Amino acid sequence: MGYAVVLGEALVDLLDAEHDGEPVYRQAVGGGPLNVAVAVARLGGDVQFVGSLGDDALAGRIRAFLTGAGVGVAGAVTVPAPTALAVATFAGPEPEFRFYGEPRSYALLGPDDLDVALVEGADVLYCGSIVLLDPPVLAAARRAWAVAGGLRVFDPNVRPSLLTAPDALDRLRGVVAEFAAGAHLVKLSSADARVLYPHEPVAGVAAYLRELGATTVVVTLGADGALVAAADDVVRVPAPKVEAVDATGAGDSVMGALVAELLAAGEPPDALGWRERVAFALRVAGLVCESPGGATAMPTRSAVTARFASRERRGPFLTPPV
């Protein structure tokens, strides 16, 4: 088994909580790509996080959290900036984030900061999320995408609160098209699809991304599971029934599980193989939803097996292809 490189942001989330009957914010290490890296490590994969971290105590906590979770930080660089914060609110089924801090500590990795040898040697390279809205990191991601010797996976992880400039959405669509064209796997949520392509059904979005060049596209559908477009097939995979308490990091855990499976067994040869991988990833996400927090809720393989043992014996596929 080789290793994965996850290129993206790490920051600190401030999450709604309560203390002595009063509303407070609970601090948690976060960032979509960081969550992905931790998920890969917890599931037994060798993974390196590549990104820019601030020069303050919060950044020290991020580094300590990553190393404690088994994530390598050889490709992480320290920049002269306070750690960026993301304030999360829960008005709907998924958290909404507002981002604070200038300059944003996660957005200062440039192409010259990239450890090219680390990227070239990776079996899987992940790029995506909000860092691609910032020119320095976008340039670094483009360089990584160009030199990657292994499988390339992409997740736009759209945050509408950051799309405030008049042309921001059009620019993001261009970035998505650019990375999808060279991706072995694109994972996005139905919420991402609605923001990017509001007049297209999710199956149409998956087909469009495959037409651009993506080998496989997975669209997560929340409690309805996921849609998988691979080869000439489009199938739906049901989500397990869980008692959800917090969806933070659920989508990231799907991506992390898929990366971990790619490391363990390579790229599936057909849609059936992908369906099995996605069914496992949805069980990982279900377990994440049953615990508060994002990165801290990422489970081990043994925990997933223990929680869904009866489902694995019955077989995960309850919904026919569409």
Side-chain angles (χ1 to χ4, degrees):
M1 183 188 296
Y3 67 91
V5 164
V6 173
L7 188 156
E9 75 267 11
L11 41 76
V12 169
D13 291 333
L14 298 180
L15 308 173
D16 281 335
E18 186 177 291
H19 180 71
D20 291 338
E22 295 293 328
V24 297
Y25 283 111
R26 177 172 58 86
Q27 183 186 122
V29 171
L34 178 142
N35 292 339
V36 171
V38 172
V40 175
R42 293 282 285 170
L43 292 168
D46 186 356
V47 58
Q48 295 282 335
F49 175 79
V50 172
S52 57
L53 302 176
D55 59 358
D56 55 7
L58 291 179
R61 294 179 189 175
I62 292 172
R63 282 184 179 271
F65 181 86
L66 285 168
T67 55
V71 178
V73 293
V77 300
T78 299
V79 295
T83 297
L85 304 176
V87 177
T89 55
F90 293 85
E94 296 186 4
E96 297 180 1
F97 292 92
R98 293 281 179 169
F99 298 87
Y100 298 88
E102 290 294 340
R104 289 179 174 163
S105 57
Y106 60 74
L108 300 177
L109 179 83
D112 293 339
D113 300 314
L114 194 68
D115 186 333
V116 172
L118 186 70
V119 174
E120 287 178 330
D123 290 76
V124 180
L125 168 67
Y126 162 103
C127 289
S129 201
I130 63 176
V131 292
L132 300 186
L133 297 172
D134 293 279
V137 195
L138 176 57
R142 283 171 169 157
R143 187 181 186 192
W145 210 244
V147 304
L151 299 174
R152 296 180 297 274
V153 303
F154 175 70
D155 182 355
N157 197 25
V158 179
R159 298 299 182 208
S161 64
L162 294 174
L163 302 176
T164 54
D167 65 340
L169 185 54
D170 286 338
R171 287 190 289 110
L172 179 58
R173 287 194 189 106
V175 170
V176 170
E178 175 187 347
F179 280 82
H184 295 87
L185 169 66
V186 175
K187 195 284 295 181
L188 71 163
S189 69
S190 56
D192 294 335
R194 285 193 298 271
V195 173
L196 290 166
Y197 314 106
H199 305 298
E200 288 288 335
V202 291
V205 172
Y208 169 67
L209 294 174
R210 292 204 66 238
E211 287 171 5
L212 289 174
T215 306
T216 300
V217 178
V218 174
V219 184
T220 54
L221 308 172
D224 292 328
L227 179 148
V228 184
D232 295 324
D233 296 317
V234 178
V235 299
R236 287 186 185 272
V237 183
K241 301 298 183 184
V242 298
E243 296 295 329
V245 298
D246 185 355
T248 304
D252 302 326
S253 74
V254 170
M255 184 84 264
L258 294 176
V259 170
E261 291 294 278
L262 288 172
L263 284 176
E267 194 174 13
D270 52 28
L272 179 61
W274 274 111
R275 189 165 64 169
E276 293 171 347
R277 304 284 182 88
V278 172
F280 170 72
L282 292 177
R283 292 196 288 272
V284 173
L287 195 50
V288 167
C289 288
E290 290 188 327
S291 301
T296 56
M298 298 300 168
T300 62
R301 284 186 182 272
S302 60
V304 177
T305 299
R307 173 64 178 82
F308 298 106
S310 61
R311 174 173 290 273
E312 290 177 355
R313 286 194 297 268
R314 291 195 309 270
F317 311 126
L318 307 179
T319 302
V322 297

